[in-house]
Amino acid sequence: MALKFARTPAELARRAVKITVERTGRTVSIAASGRIDLATEGPWYDQIMAACTDDSDTKRVVIDLTSVTFLSWASTATLVRAHRACARHGRALRVLACGPVLACLHMTHLDEDVTITATTPKVKEPLPHGTSSWLIA
């Protein structure tokens, strides 16, 4: 059986990871949502390493994975590199995670080196009034 990869723009957009970077005082927060795997981790890696190694007065780097639906085992190496880069630059690194991503980080024993904080998933926006997810026949 052959492997099937996303080829159409719609399939590629669905697999894309969305990254938001926010700076508050001396803290840089990098939030990701979607799948992070070998095909999508490039921009995520670049943003994390930029926050960990830039010449600013940053003291804390927070990586928020609470909206990540999948984190490949290979992508956890980015967190190890970020931890080492922060240590070299005198910065603290904290990773926020929940669900299967948190379980993956614990299985790899990454929590022994990196500060990982268990969080709850972000709440989805409620449905508009007059709509329901119930099907009434």
Side-chain angles (χ1 to χ4, degrees):
M1 179 153 99
L3 294 174
K4 185 178 179 182
F5 295 99
R7 302 222 192 279
T8 66
E11 289 175 319
L12 292 173
R14 190 175 46 229
R15 287 185 52 111
V17 63
K18 182 181 176 196
I19 303 161
T20 352
V21 179
E22 188 176 304
R23 183 176 183 88
T24 309
R26 298 172 107 188
T27 301
V28 176
S29 299
I30 302 154
S33 63
R35 291 178 56 92
I36 299 177
D37 55 24
L38 290 176
T40 62
E41 80 171 338
W44 180 67
Y45 174 84
D46 293 342
Q47 292 293 335
I48 289 173
M49 294 314 290
C52 294
T53 61
D54 68 357
D55 291 331
S56 67
D57 62 344
T58 301
K59 289 293 178 194
R60 287 173 297 284
V61 176
V62 177
I63 301 172
D64 186 352
L65 302 176
T66 54
S67 295
V68 171
T69 56
F70 176 81
L71 180 71
S72 72
W73 290 63
S75 297
T76 59
T78 298
L79 299 175
V80 173
R81 289 185 186 108
H83 171 69
R84 291 179 183 157
C86 281
R88 281 193 306 271
H89 288 84
R91 297 174 180 164
L93 175 70
R94 190 170 114 188
V95 178
L96 307 176
C98 63
V101 172
L102 179 63
C104 172
L105 297 176
H106 285 301
M107 279 190 278
T108 59
H109 297 281
L110 194 64
D111 56 332
E112 295 174 4
D113 296 321
V114 179
T115 303
I116 298 174
T117 305
T119 60
T120 55
K122 293 185 177 169
V123 178
K124 295 179 182 177
E125 294 206 18
L127 294 172
H129 293 290
T131 61
S132 169
S133 59
W134 287 88
L135 175 62
I136 301 173

